[in-house]
Amino acid sequence: MSTICYVDRVLNNVLNNMEDKKTIFYDVSGRDDEIYMQHFKSDGFVQDWLHFHVKYELTLVLCGSSEIISEGRVYACQKPHFRLHKPFSFHTANAHKGTTYDCYVFYFTEAALSSLIRKADLRRLFRDDISIIELDGDTLECARALAEITLLQTCDGMRKIVLSGMLTLAEDRLEQNGRLSSTSQPLGYLSDVLTYINEHFSEKITSAELARKYYVSEQKLNMDFKRLLGDTLHHYHMTVRISQCAMLIARGMPPLAASVECGFVDECHFSKTFKSRIGLTPYQFSKQVASQIEYNGDYDEKDTKI
């Protein structure tokens, strides 16, 4: 079935069920090989339109009560959750007034994840038009730790690592619920490992040290970490460190001072590592910082992020 026929079919189904709703064709612009994200926090909102994206959408809702309408059905969500929308699936959302609604939204294509070592099976994971995956315990805390990294908003490489972790968490929870064939183990200590790295990024951190700290073998730690993020612990640590450097530079700190602040002791190593993560040298980045870190979110006419 062609894309146009599919969209027409969906549009007719939705309009038959929701005659009072406006319908718009909406998409996140930009290159297919990049990941676009938003952090949205409000005290509630109402969307009176339907929209779709040609990209995959993963939304992490950390708090807030909401209702999602997709394919003529209403989904009430009062707990933290992942929300997955398949490309070309019409949907809209309302967040109840009076409570804080806090969410992170990622838009991406298969091309954007092509360079990852650990690739999610997107067609399998996004099998349904919408999937709502409730989160709690270690899974919720791990998702929260990953999401907070994106507030630095520095480079696509960092977003790829974070999104890979989010997709792995979603797969794990679906497998635990019996909706996908199970091939993984519970997360356990990994949320604490992520939090520790995020809080101590400027210090020297080794897998041996963390293994002792969390009472696991170094081999298990490295295997679990790579399974979750599709990246080695050392590379992840360096990426968090570089992301923090980029944020400091963006706020006006000289590159060399930022490198010292973030734990680098060798200027040559810092410059080489920075360029490998960001794509620019620290000094090039300091001159072009606005275009490198600014994300122009998509807004509707009421200034409500979608």
Side-chain angles (χ1 to χ4, degrees):
M1 183 178 293
S2 71
T3 297
I4 294 177
C5 290
Y6 175 69
V7 171
D8 287 343
R9 178 181 63 78
V10 172
L11 178 58
N12 289 332
N13 288 346
V14 173
L15 290 180
N16 288 337
N17 287 284
M18 303 178 63
E19 295 179 355
D20 58 332
K21 292 282 182 179
K22 292 186 295 183
T23 302
I24 65 171
F25 293 91
Y26 169 83
D27 188 27
V28 179
S29 61
R31 292 166 43 182
D32 281 349
D33 60 349
E34 291 186 347
I35 297 168
Y36 298 85
M37 65 81 58
Q38 303 171 344
H39 175 223
F40 176 38
K41 196 170 186 178
S42 77
D43 62 351
F45 61 87
V46 175
Q47 293 179 342
D48 58 356
W49 64 91
L50 293 164
H51 64 277
F52 73 83
H53 314 282
V54 299
K55 294 178 171 65
Y56 291 96
E57 176 185 340
L58 181 149
T59 297
L60 166 65
V61 178
L62 292 176
C63 64
S65 180
S66 60
E67 291 180 349
I68 308 341
I69 302 171
S70 179
E71 301 302 295
R73 296 179 180 177
V74 179
Y75 302 83
C77 306
Q78 297 181 341
K79 297 180 180 180
H81 63 274
F82 281 131
R83 191 163 68 245
L84 310 180
H85 289 289
K86 188 166 66 175
F88 298 107
S89 62
F90 279 88
H91 57 276
T92 188
N94 301 319
H96 296 176
K97 293 285 186 179
T99 59
T100 299
Y101 182 80
D102 189 2
C103 75
Y104 295 78
V105 189
F106 297 82
Y107 305 101
F108 57 96
T109 66
E110 291 177 290
L113 303 179
S114 61
S115 62
L116 291 177
I117 299 173
R118 198 279 184 199
K119 299 182 180 67
D121 186 342
L122 296 182
R123 296 179 187 273
R124 177 169 167 261
L125 184 57
F126 288 79
R127 178 184 58 193
D128 301 321
D129 290 315
I130 180 174
S131 294
I132 296 174
I133 307 165
E134 291 189 353
L135 304 174
D136 54 25
D138 291 330
T139 304
L140 173 59
E141 292 311 308
C142 194
R144 189 192 306 275
L146 285 168
E148 289 175 352
I149 299 170
T150 66
L151 296 178
L152 301 175
Q153 294 186 356
T154 53
C155 66
D156 193 54
M158 190 70 224
R159 287 190 291 273
K160 285 184 179 181
I161 293 173
V162 170
L163 180 57
S164 176
M166 297 282 192
L167 292 170
T168 300
L169 293 175
E171 284 183 322
D172 285 351
R173 183 50 64 95
L174 286 175
E175 288 167 353
Q176 291 168 18
N177 293 341
R179 293 178 59 186
L180 294 176
S181 58
S182 181
T183 58
S184 59
Q185 300 298 321
L187 290 168
Y189 67 100
L190 285 176
S191 60
D192 293 331
V193 172
L194 282 171
T195 299
Y196 183 88
I197 295 174
N198 296 342
E199 292 178 351
H200 300 270
F201 65 88
S202 64
E203 303 171 12
K204 181 179 179 180
I205 299 175
T206 66
S207 56
E209 171 193 351
L210 289 176
R212 288 193 296 270
K213 182 176 179 65
Y214 294 103
Y215 305 102
V216 295
S217 70
E218 187 175 356
Q219 181 182 22
K220 175 175 171 55
L221 170 62
N222 288 326
M223 290 179 60
D224 288 349
F225 197 93
K226 193 166 186 178
R227 179 184 65 83
L228 173 67
L229 294 179
D231 201 6
T232 66
L233 190 150
H234 174 72
H235 191 273
Y236 174 86
H237 177 209
M238 287 298 103
T239 304
V240 173
R241 185 179 281 186
I242 288 296
S243 294
Q244 184 70 14
C245 279
M247 184 182 70
L248 294 176
I249 294 171
R251 292 177 174 176
M253 183 177 289
L256 185 57
S259 71
V260 174
E261 181 76 15
C262 293
F264 286 98
V265 296
D266 184 297
E267 185 177 2
C268 182
H269 176 245
F270 163 64
S271 182
K272 183 177 180 180
T273 305
F274 191 98
K275 186 173 182 179
S276 72
R277 302 297 198 276
I278 304 296
L280 299 168
T281 69
Y283 297 96
Q284 289 172 332
F285 178 80
S286 67
K287 293 179 180 179
Q288 302 182 32
V289 62
S291 64
Q292 291 297 316
I293 70 166
E294 183 177 348
Y295 172 72
N296 295 319
D298 295 282
Y299 291 84
D300 64 87
E301 59 201 13
K302 299 177 183 177
D303 284 342
T304 303
K305 280 191 176 182
I306 314 179

